[in-house]
Amino acid sequence: MRDLALCLFLFFLAKHVSSVPTKAQFQSCLSTISKTPTNLTDHTDSTLYSPSLALSSPSSSFLNLNFTSLKPILTLKPKTESEIKSAILCSKKLGVQVRTLSGGHDYEGLSYLSLSPFIIINLVNLRSININLTEETAWIQSGATLGELYYKIAKTSNVHAFAAGICPSVGVGGHISGGGLGTLMRKHGLASDNVVDARLMDVNGRILNRRTMGEDVFWALRGGGAASFGVVLSWKVKLARVPEKVTCFISQHPMGASMNKLVHRWQYIGPELDKDLFIRAIIDNNVEGGQRGVKTTFQALFLGGIDRLIPLMNQQFPELGLRAQDCSEMSWIESTMFFNWKSGQPLEVMLNRDLRYEDLYYKAKSDFVQKPVPEHVFEEVTKRFLEKETPLMILEPWGGKMSEISETESPFPHRRGNLYNVQYMVKWRVNEVEEMNKHVTWMRMLYDYMTPYVSSSPRGAYLNYRDLDLGNNTRTNTSFEDAREWGEKYYRGNFKRLGLAKGKIDPTNFFRNEQSIPPLF
Ligand SMILES: Cc1cc2nc3c(=O)[nH]c(=O)nc-3n(C[C@H](O)[C@H](O)[C@H](O)COP(=O)(O)OP(=O)(O)OC[C@H]3O[C@@H](n4cnc5c(N)ncnc54)[C@H](O)[C@@H]3O)c2cc1C
Ligand SMILES: *[C@@H]1O[C@H](CO)[C@@H](O)[C@H](O)[C@H]1NC(C)=O
Ligand SMILES: *[C@@H]1O[C@H](CO)[C@@H](O)[C@H](O)[C@H]1NC(C)=O
Ligand SMILES: *[C@@H]1O[C@H](CO)[C@@H](O)[C@H](O)[C@H]1NC(C)=O
Ligand SMILES: *[C@@H]1O[C@H](CO)[C@@H](O)[C@H](O)[C@H]1NC(C)=O
Ligand SMILES: *[C@@H]1O[C@H](CO)[C@@H](O)[C@H](O)[C@H]1NC(C)=O
């Protein structure tokens, strides 16, 4: 049955491929469609889309199909918004799909890989950031990175920040539309919770704002993944206030009974702590000082000084034994560097757009935990981690603001009742199918092992940790019913409303990918 489906699929694809427009045809369309002379250059980036990198996509469905992505017909790096319009209209006319790329960090490569003929719109040239301190807001073009945003905020004010992710090279375009969790979430929520307006280009090339797109679509953009709805040109966000001095610390614990006890204890404490205190736990296995071994690192940000932190820790988490000399006070921007292991380096490292896992390939998955996991599970995780080169598990505490926002306020539904989010990751260096299969299989087994201890019916997943294992998605025209399998893991009860918003803004399902929201009417 599966083989038959695969054959049919390849047959359709083969038929499709023979009618794929050439680069020249696409360019000729671009020059006829725009009334004003545009300057659309083809910037095909041969390094990003080499077949070996396409193969490196850890995506399971590409893998199961034993089939790698097509190459894009061309990659555009528009310098103006009207160039994006031309690209959309030509793609529609020529029957090819659009992949919008902001930071390019999608875990399954959906911003630059596709099984259907496609072009890439890379927003790297559209990344201005305008901060209004009177309003405490910023307009950010989608091509900006979190690092560029944090840097600009810090250059403008020493008491403002933005609540979003930790890695500076992540793009604002994908990140904000998929949620965006980071060190400030217990106090200020997700990046998507702090969006107050957005400019969206729709399938007809119209530019809509919050008022003109309507509340349903605006709701959908804040956590539903913008790729299903159009191209987000820019976001208007609410900045967060932070003290001039914050405090950071790390506390590391080697594998063993006391580590297991501590992580176990953290599950009760992390989500209940003062909102000003964020302590995440990272379990990994890495060579350190030539010695391999599993360890847990608690990495923390406190929105205040050491003098307030130490009594708080003594009272709420004495098991960690934190001392003043383990802590450092710094500015908020320095804390973003601390979390990236870049303390002491020039601020400008935050502007480096190229901090992806360079020559590493990886597969990730996510979970939400609602009741504390028994201690023996961390013992088993340690055992499994010892077999692997670079496995990683990051536990990020919920509670605070995350539990105050209702499940339907935005498409991101994982709110009250969750203790923490888990991200699992495994990385490898050899870009071969066999190697990839080995690691992906290991990851799936770990995920299976965790089943009894995490959320269920549906098992929750975080869109920004995209995972094509979650359900049916070998076609870009999956029906809404088939898509529920993964859709309800990401969005729970919000999935239907996302389908309706999709039906409103893009009824012909032009904006689609291997895991986009099908339209409902
Ligand atoms: C090293 C690393 C660290 C990370 N750290 C964190 C973290 O701390 N917290 C967290 O929450 N997540 C984190 N993530 C996950 C990250 O938030 C997601 O991968 C996010 O979607 C990346 O956004 P991007 O713009 O870089 O990716 P892209 O690959 O460019 O885009 C992701 C998706 O959004 C679509 N898209 C992008 N731009 C637009 C646009 N302007 N309009 C419409 N659709 C668009 C793409 O087509 C694609 O489907 C991390 C990822 C990596 C690789
Ligand atoms: C077109 O782009 C090229 C290269 O970026 C630039 O040198 C040239 O000035 C641009 N022309 C116009 C009309 O904008
Ligand atoms: C891909 O197909 C080849 C040839 O049929 C087979 O040997 C290989 O195992 C397949 N790989 C995967 C990942 O399915
Ligand atoms: C900032 O916002 C205020 C209040 O809405 C507004 O009056 C002002 O014009 C804005 N400043 C800029 C530079 O846009
Ligand atoms: C995928 O969709 C088909 C129907 O198209 C369904 O039979 C199947 O159960 C779904 N799930 C998986 C994992 O294939
Ligand atoms: C998806 O596309 C295939 C191939 O073109 C077609 O046979 C199928 O009916 C389509 N399914 C949906 C749900 O539109």
Side-chain angles (χ1 to χ4, degrees), residues 493-518:
N494 293 328
F495 189 48
K496 189 168 172 202
R497 189 166 163 200
L498 282 169
L500 293 168
K502 166 75 173 179
K504 217 175 232 180
I505 189 82
D506 184 26
T508 63
N509 201 12
F510 171 74
F511 288 105
R512 62 189 193 272
N513 61 39
E514 283 69 17
Q515 207 174 61
S516 59
I517 295 155

Side-chain angles (χ1 to χ4, degrees), residues 100 102-106 111 123 142 166-167 171 174-175 181 227 230 232 462 464:
T100 308
S102 288
H105 281 54
D106 192 272
S111 53
L123 298 176
S142 288
I166 288 165
C167 171
H175 184 72
L181 61 86
V232 171
Y462 174 34
N464 267 342

Side-chain angles (χ1 to χ4, degrees), residues 384-438:
R384 289 170 183 248
F385 272 31
L386 280 170
E387 301 161 3
K388 280 303 251 200
E389 254 171 65
T390 44
L392 181 69
M393 210 163 136
I394 305 181
L395 320 181
E396 307 204 86
W398 248 231
K401 181 86 176 180
M402 292 302 289
S403 302
E404 291 164 12
I405 298 173
S406 89
E407 199 170 314
T408 54
E409 175 83 25
S410 80
F412 182 95
H414 313 289
R415 305 286 184 173
R416 182 180 294 284
N418 290 289
L419 297 175
Y420 58 96
N421 167 260
V422 184
Q423 172 174 203
Y424 313 88
M425 185 175 275
V426 60
K427 308 177 198 170
W428 62 93
R429 286 189 184 279
V430 183
N431 187 19
E432 282 170 1
V433 171
E434 252 177 53
E435 182 77 4
M436 172 162 54
N437 282 345
K438 198 174 79 192

Side-chain angles (χ1 to χ4, degrees), residues 187-201:
K187 179 119 179 189
H188 298 284
L190 302 171
S192 56
D193 296 328
N194 290 284
V195 173
V196 292
D197 204 344
R199 293 173 65 255
L200 175 75
M201 188 174 284

Side-chain angles (χ1 to χ4, degrees), residues 293-314:
V294 174
K295 66 175 180 309
T296 297
T297 305
F298 294 97
Q299 210 182 13
L301 170 69
F302 178 60
L303 298 171
I306 296 178
D307 55 343
R308 194 155 72 87
L309 173 62
I310 296 297
L312 196 71
M313 284 296 286
N314 285 341

Side-chain angles (χ1 to χ4, degrees), residues 250 332 484:
I250 60 166
W332 172 74
R484 287 178 96 107

